[in-house]
Amino acid sequence: MQKILGYMRKAITDYQMLEDGDRVAVGVSGGKDSVVLLTGLCRLRRFIGIDYQVVAVTLDPMFGGVPTDYTPIQKLCDQLEVPFVLKRTDIGPVVFDVRQEKNPCSLCARMRRGALHDAAKEKGCNKIALGHHWDDAVETFLLNLFHEGRIGCFSPVSYLSRKDLTMIRPLVFAPERDIGSAQRRCRLPVVKSKCPADTFTQRQWAKEYLDSMEKEHPGFKKRLFGAMVRAHVSGW
């Protein structure tokens, strides 16, 4: 976890993600990225020199109309001494049953963002922390290039004027393998996604493509990330 804290501290410092008095809603899906993010933000409070509060927010998509058991996340939040907010939603039924989307990820993401923004405002938060990491950034850059014909990525910090919220991504310098290692070593609980489209997405294609390129050209992902940062793409 020390390595993860180093990545997070650098991102928070480089992009001025946090300030004294911030109240941060951490989007906790139950996956490894979000539980490591939550744990990291709680541990950083001890020594980073910034006075901020953390609230964990979990949105249950209710895939198949069935609620997911997030008890392990509740217990983690109790250990970390942070409030835990669980919101049951109709995202799953709307996307897969009502709309029957052939490409469900886009609509699902938009609905989850809206629900998370609303939950953050309800809890008096001015910032939202998401678990996007280094690999996510490279994959997003690739997907935008190949599927939309544009140069772009999500930003480390984004201000949402309509909601008066700031989105931060403290794990942007952390490789996925290091996050997975931290989750296992710290024995952090994971609640597996029940999404019917899991592993059958364009992002999964991007992961597999980048892995194959990395095998043929070692350092490929690092060079791609470096080019994005040096070009200041999307605020990087």
Side-chain angles (χ1 to χ4, degrees):
M1 181 60 79
Q2 285 301 116
K3 185 181 288 188
I4 296 297
L5 294 180
Y7 289 131
M8 293 179 67
R9 187 171 191 170
K10 175 174 171 53
I12 289 169
T13 302
D14 285 3
Y15 295 107
Q16 300 178 337
M17 293 182 177
L18 292 173
E19 298 176 330
D20 287 340
D22 281 344
R23 185 170 171 85
V24 186
V26 183
V28 184
S29 66
K32 67 181 188 308
D33 306 331
S34 62
V35 296
V36 168
L37 172 65
L38 175 64
T39 304
L41 282 174
C42 290
R43 292 191 181 185
L44 276 174
R45 285 188 299 180
R46 303 172 187 170
F47 60 84
I48 198 171
I50 304 173
D51 182 19
Y52 62 92
Q53 297 178 315
V54 174
V55 178
V57 179
T58 295
L59 304 175
D60 184 2
M62 296 283 289
F63 292 120
V66 179
T68 297
D69 180 11
Y70 289 101
T71 302
I73 306 303
Q74 173 72 73
K75 291 181 179 178
L76 174 63
C77 290
D78 291 343
Q79 293 171 6
L80 296 172
E81 298 181 340
V82 298
F84 175 62
V85 179
L86 174 60
K87 295 280 188 179
R88 306 287 185 187
T89 74
D90 59 357
I91 294 174
V94 168
V95 173
F96 290 98
D97 302 328
V98 177
R99 296 282 294 270
Q100 297 183 353
E101 291 283 320
K102 293 182 179 180
N103 298 303
C105 296
S106 179
L107 176 60
C108 183
R110 290 198 302 274
M111 294 182 70
R112 282 189 290 111
R113 281 197 299 269
L116 181 58
H117 298 169
D118 291 343
K121 295 296 288 187
E122 287 175 11
K123 294 302 174 180
C125 297
N126 65 313
K127 290 185 177 176
I128 297 176
L130 300 179
H132 295 131
H133 48 65
W134 184 84
D135 295 79
D136 286 328
V138 178
E139 291 160 13
T140 300
F141 179 81
L142 185 75
L143 286 168
N144 287 338
L145 181 63
F146 280 16
H147 291 276
E148 298 182 22
R150 66 182 180 89
I151 304 295
C153 184
F154 53 73
S155 299
V157 177
S158 304
Y159 177 64
L160 311 174
S161 57
R162 291 185 179 180
K163 292 289 186 176
D164 190 26
L165 287 167
T166 299
M167 195 88 69
I168 63 173
R169 295 174 167 91
L171 288 176
V172 287
F173 291 143
E176 185 174 18
R177 68 173 180 274
D178 290 344
I179 293 172
S181 176
Q183 179 266 318
R184 291 189 297 273
R185 286 172 180 264
C186 295
R187 299 182 179 179
L188 299 177
V190 168
V191 176
K192 185 172 175 54
S193 170
K194 297 180 180 179
C195 175
D198 199 24
T199 75
F200 296 100
T201 63
Q202 290 183 346
R203 185 164 294 275
Q204 183 63 31
W205 167 84
K207 285 180 181 291
E208 294 172 0
Y209 175 82
L210 287 167
D211 286 344
S212 67
M213 290 297 290
E214 187 69 24
K215 289 179 181 177
E216 293 183 29
H217 308 282
F220 176 79
K221 289 196 286 187
K222 185 176 181 179
R223 291 191 294 273
L224 193 60
F225 182 83
M228 183 176 70
V229 173
R230 287 190 294 274
H232 304 293
V233 171
S234 301
W236 287 84

